Amino acid sequence: MSTFSFTIPAADVDAIKNTSGASAIEITVDRGFSRSVSQDVLVAKFGDGYEQRVLSGLNPKKETLSVAFNNRSAADIALISAYLDRQAGLKFNMTVTDAFGTGSDAGKLVTSTIKVTCLEYSISYPQPDIHSLTATFDRVYEP
Protein backbone atom coordinates (compact mmCIF):
# COMPACT_ATOMS: atom_id res chain seq x y z
CA MET A 1 0.00 0.00 0.00
CA SER A 2 1.31 3.45 -0.89
CA THR A 3 2.19 5.90 1.84
CA PHE A 4 2.37 9.67 1.50
CA SER A 5 2.60 11.32 4.91
CA PHE A 6 4.62 13.47 7.28
CA THR A 7 4.95 13.41 11.05
CA ILE A 8 4.50 16.34 13.40
CA PRO A 9 7.02 15.70 16.20
CA ALA A 10 5.74 15.53 19.79
CA ALA A 11 7.71 18.66 20.75
CA ASP A 12 5.96 20.65 18.01
CA VAL A 13 2.54 19.29 18.99
CA ASP A 14 3.22 20.40 22.59
CA ALA A 15 4.40 23.85 21.47
CA ILE A 16 1.43 24.38 19.15
CA LYS A 17 -1.20 23.18 21.64
CA ASN A 18 0.54 24.62 24.73
CA THR A 19 0.55 21.19 26.37
CA SER A 20 3.14 18.68 27.52
CA GLY A 21 3.50 14.95 26.98
CA ALA A 22 1.81 14.80 23.58
CA SER A 23 2.66 12.09 21.09
CA ALA A 24 3.95 12.63 17.57
CA ILE A 25 1.15 12.72 15.02
CA GLU A 26 1.36 11.22 11.53
CA ILE A 27 -0.55 13.24 8.94
CA THR A 28 -1.53 11.31 5.82
CA VAL A 29 -2.15 13.11 2.52
CA ASP A 30 -5.54 12.60 0.86
CA ARG A 31 -5.74 10.44 -2.21
CA GLY A 32 -5.66 12.18 -5.56
CA PHE A 33 -2.75 14.50 -4.87
CA SER A 34 -0.35 15.34 -7.69
CA ARG A 35 3.40 15.28 -8.09
CA SER A 36 5.10 17.40 -10.76
CA VAL A 37 8.67 16.70 -11.86
CA SER A 38 10.91 18.77 -14.11
CA GLN A 39 14.57 18.43 -15.02
CA ASP A 40 16.91 21.42 -15.01
CA VAL A 41 18.86 21.07 -18.26
CA LEU A 42 21.28 23.52 -19.87
CA VAL A 43 20.91 23.59 -23.66
CA ALA A 44 23.44 25.00 -26.13
CA LYS A 45 21.96 25.50 -29.61
CA PHE A 46 24.18 25.50 -32.64
CA GLY A 47 23.57 25.96 -36.37
CA ASP A 48 21.42 23.56 -38.42
CA GLY A 49 19.32 22.57 -35.36
CA TYR A 50 22.17 20.84 -33.52
CA GLU A 51 21.81 20.95 -29.71
CA GLN A 52 23.95 19.89 -26.82
CA ARG A 53 22.30 19.19 -23.44
CA VAL A 54 23.68 18.65 -19.96
CA LEU A 55 22.00 18.38 -16.55
CA SER A 56 22.41 21.52 -14.47
CA GLY A 57 23.75 21.16 -10.93
CA LEU A 58 24.08 18.27 -8.51
CA ASN A 59 20.32 17.71 -8.19
CA PRO A 60 18.66 18.78 -11.42
CA LYS A 61 15.37 17.02 -10.61
CA LYS A 62 12.79 19.48 -9.30
CA GLU A 63 9.67 18.07 -7.66
CA THR A 64 6.50 19.78 -6.49
CA LEU A 65 3.73 17.96 -4.64
CA SER A 66 0.23 19.43 -4.52
CA VAL A 67 -1.34 17.89 -1.43
CA ALA A 68 -4.76 18.14 0.19
CA PHE A 69 -6.20 17.46 3.61
CA ASN A 70 -9.93 17.57 2.93
CA ASN A 71 -12.94 17.44 5.25
CA ARG A 72 -11.00 17.18 8.48
CA SER A 73 -11.87 18.53 11.88
CA ALA A 74 -11.16 22.19 12.51
CA ALA A 75 -8.64 21.13 15.20
CA ASP A 76 -6.74 18.90 12.76
CA ILE A 77 -6.50 21.65 10.13
CA ALA A 78 -5.43 24.16 12.80
CA LEU A 79 -2.67 21.77 13.90
CA ILE A 80 -1.46 21.16 10.33
CA SER A 81 -1.46 24.87 9.45
CA ALA A 82 0.32 25.82 12.69
CA TYR A 83 3.01 23.20 11.97
CA LEU A 84 3.44 24.48 8.41
CA ASP A 85 3.75 28.02 9.81
CA ARG A 86 6.44 26.85 12.26
CA GLN A 87 8.29 25.18 9.39
CA ALA A 88 8.04 28.16 7.02
CA GLY A 89 11.24 28.15 5.01
CA LEU A 90 12.52 25.08 6.89
CA LYS A 91 12.62 21.52 5.65
CA PHE A 92 10.72 18.59 7.11
CA ASN A 93 10.58 14.92 6.21
CA MET A 94 7.84 13.35 4.13
CA THR A 95 7.42 9.62 3.57
CA VAL A 96 6.56 8.66 0.00
CA THR A 97 6.11 5.41 -1.88
CA ASP A 98 7.98 6.13 -5.06
CA ALA A 99 10.66 3.65 -6.04
CA PHE A 100 11.31 0.01 -6.76
CA GLY A 101 13.31 -1.84 -4.16
CA THR A 102 16.47 -3.86 -4.59
CA GLY A 103 17.52 -7.25 -3.31
CA SER A 104 14.62 -9.09 -1.68
CA ASP A 105 12.36 -6.08 -2.44
CA ALA A 106 13.23 -6.06 -6.16
CA GLY A 107 10.20 -5.26 -8.28
CA LYS A 108 8.17 -4.02 -5.28
CA LEU A 109 7.33 -0.42 -4.49
CA VAL A 110 9.12 0.80 -1.38
CA THR A 111 8.82 3.92 0.75
CA SER A 112 11.52 6.51 1.10
CA THR A 113 11.91 9.75 3.00
CA ILE A 114 12.33 13.01 1.14
CA LYS A 115 12.86 16.51 2.49
CA VAL A 116 10.26 19.12 1.56
CA THR A 117 9.39 22.73 2.32
CA CYS A 118 5.99 24.36 2.28
CA LEU A 119 5.88 28.01 1.25
CA GLU A 120 2.16 28.25 0.54
CA TYR A 121 -1.11 26.69 1.61
CA SER A 122 -4.77 27.64 1.67
CA ILE A 123 -7.64 26.72 3.95
CA SER A 124 -11.31 26.44 3.02
CA TYR A 125 -14.17 26.34 5.49
CA PRO A 126 -17.01 24.26 3.95
CA GLN A 127 -18.69 23.72 7.34
CA PRO A 128 -18.24 25.31 10.77
CA ASP A 129 -16.40 22.30 12.25
CA ILE A 130 -15.04 20.74 9.05
CA HIS A 131 -12.20 22.44 7.19
CA SER A 132 -9.88 21.61 4.29
CA LEU A 133 -6.29 22.60 3.56
CA THR A 134 -4.38 22.42 0.28
CA ALA A 135 -0.64 22.99 0.11
CA THR A 136 2.32 22.91 -2.22
CA PHE A 137 5.40 21.01 -1.03
CA ASP A 138 8.70 21.54 -2.84
CA ARG A 139 11.38 18.86 -2.58
CA VAL A 140 14.74 20.11 -1.34
CA TYR A 141 18.11 18.41 -1.37
CA GLU A 142 19.73 19.30 1.93
CA PRO A 143 21.53 17.25 4.57
Side-chain angles (χ1 to χ4, degrees), residues 53-133:
R53 292 165 296 286
V54 65
L55 295 176
S56 177
L58 293 174
N59 297 300
K61 184 178 180 181
K62 296 181 182 190
E63 293 181 71
T64 301
L65 294 91
S66 297
V67 300
F69 309 95
N70 292 315
N71 301 319
R72 305 210 183 180
S73 70
D76 287 349
I77 295 300
L79 178 65
I80 294 168
S81 65
Y83 179 71
L84 295 177
D85 288 343
R86 289 176 64 84
Q87 295 301 114
L90 303 174
K91 66 183 182 292
F92 57 96
N93 292 331
M94 182 169 183
T95 302
V96 297
T97 302
D98 68 343
F100 289 104
T102 59
S104 64
D105 288 331
K108 299 177 186 173
L109 284 175
V110 295
T111 59
S112 62
T113 301
I114 62 173
K115 295 180 185 331
V116 296
T117 60
C118 179
L119 301 179
E120 63 180 88
Y121 66 86
S122 62
I123 301 173
S124 62
Y125 305 93
Q127 297 179 24
D129 294 332
I130 302 295
H131 301 167
S132 296
L133 183 144

Side-chain angles (χ1 to χ4, degrees), residues 10-80:
D12 286 322
V13 174
D14 282 336
I16 292 166
K17 291 184 171 184
N18 294 319
T19 60
S20 63
S23 298
I25 299 174
E26 183 177 6
I27 306 295
T28 302
V29 174
D30 287 355
R31 287 185 283 180
F33 80 98
S34 66
R35 187 176 189 175
S36 174
V37 177
S38 65
Q39 304 289 343
D40 194 7
V41 177
L42 298 174
V43 179
K45 294 185 178 195
F46 302 98
D48 296 333
Y50 177 76
E51 292 182 350
Q52 192 172 27
R53 292 165 296 286
V54 65
L55 295 176
S56 177
L58 293 174
N59 297 300
K61 184 178 180 181
K62 296 181 182 190
E63 293 181 71
T64 301
L65 294 91
S66 297
V67 300
F69 309 95
N70 292 315
N71 301 319
R72 305 210 183 180
S73 70
D76 287 349
I77 295 300
L79 178 65
I80 294 168

